[in-house]
Amino acid sequence: MAGHELIERHLRTLADRLPGPVVDELADGLLASYDDQMGRLGDPDAAARAALADFGDADTVTAAFVRASPARHAAFTLLAAGPIVGLSWGAVLITGNTWASLIPLSSRLAVGVLLGSAVLMLVIAIRDQRHYRTVRLAALGGAGTVAVLDTVMLGTVVTLVPPPSLLLLVALTGSVARIMLAARAIPAVIARQ
């Protein structure tokens, strides 16, 4: 298959944004479309423009792959679960008067930094439409940070042994569920390069 500079430029742009195997498959289809258009039109420039018009611009193609990525779906799920689990833990800590009295300020700040980092990474994974790798790395970082944050909260409960309550049960269940979501998402995101 013969190529064209417009086609090659388009594929280089996609290669900067998408995983190599995906770009290889897209290249096969785009080059086949170019060859087909070349047979119909006979003009290399017109054939390249027609093939690219049928294929779609780099932003549209990239956005479609990013929207379908497992990393973005994992980030959305973890971010959606965040307020429920966070409010549950907040209610447990406030009603038990644990947050202010037993947890040192440095630990509270560390949890705040972890929480802010997790939210930031998950939001980046959801919002970025142009860089598949960025979405993937942000989702991995966010999932890992969420797992660490929930593990810290579970460790805090074990250490402080607050009185049993329905709020505590909800918070514990939420954290365990979110750890399981993160543990399930991480291998899937890593496997899809």
Side-chain angles (χ1 to χ4, degrees):
M1 280 186 222
H4 187 277
E5 176 55 33
L6 289 174
I7 304 285
E8 298 302 321
R9 190 174 333 135
H10 196 72
L11 291 173
R12 281 193 302 272
T13 301
L14 290 174
D16 289 341
R17 298 178 180 182
L18 296 171
V22 170
V23 176
D24 292 343
E25 286 185 40
L26 292 173
D28 291 343
L30 183 54
L31 290 172
S33 177
Y34 172 69
D35 285 346
D36 182 52
Q37 294 291 346
M38 198 49 199
R40 287 185 19 198
L41 301 173
D43 177 28
D45 292 337
R49 285 192 299 275
L52 288 172
D54 287 342
F55 188 75
D57 65 282
D59 290 341
T60 303
V61 172
T62 303
F65 275 94
V66 168
R67 274 191 305 277
S69 80
R72 187 167 186 267
H73 292 288
F76 183 78
T77 302
L78 289 170
L79 194 59
I84 297 165
V85 176
L87 288 172
S88 299
W89 278 116
V92 166
L93 294 171
I94 290 170
T95 59
N97 200 21
T98 306
W99 188 251
S101 61
L102 298 175
I103 301 174
L105 177 62
S106 60
S107 296
R108 287 183 271 166
L109 291 174
V111 167
V113 168
L114 278 174
L115 178 61
S117 299
V119 169
L120 178 64
M121 286 184 274
L122 294 173
V123 166
I124 288 170
I126 290 170
R127 302 278 304 167
D128 193 322
Q129 295 291 311
R130 295 184 51 152
H131 300 94
Y132 188 92
R133 288 178 191 99
T134 301
V135 170
R136 186 171 163 263
L137 291 174
L140 282 172
T145 305
V146 163
V148 167
L149 181 62
D150 281 323
T151 303
V152 165
M153 292 308 291
L154 292 173
T156 301
V157 166
V158 168
T159 304
L160 299 177
V161 191
S165 69
L166 181 59
L167 287 174
L168 181 60
L169 179 62
V170 169
L172 288 169
T173 303
S175 280
V176 169
R178 217 165 45 165
I179 289 170
M180 290 178 4
L181 283 171
R184 186 173 146 227
I186 289 171
V189 172
I190 289 172
R192 300 275 179 107
Q193 298 182 34

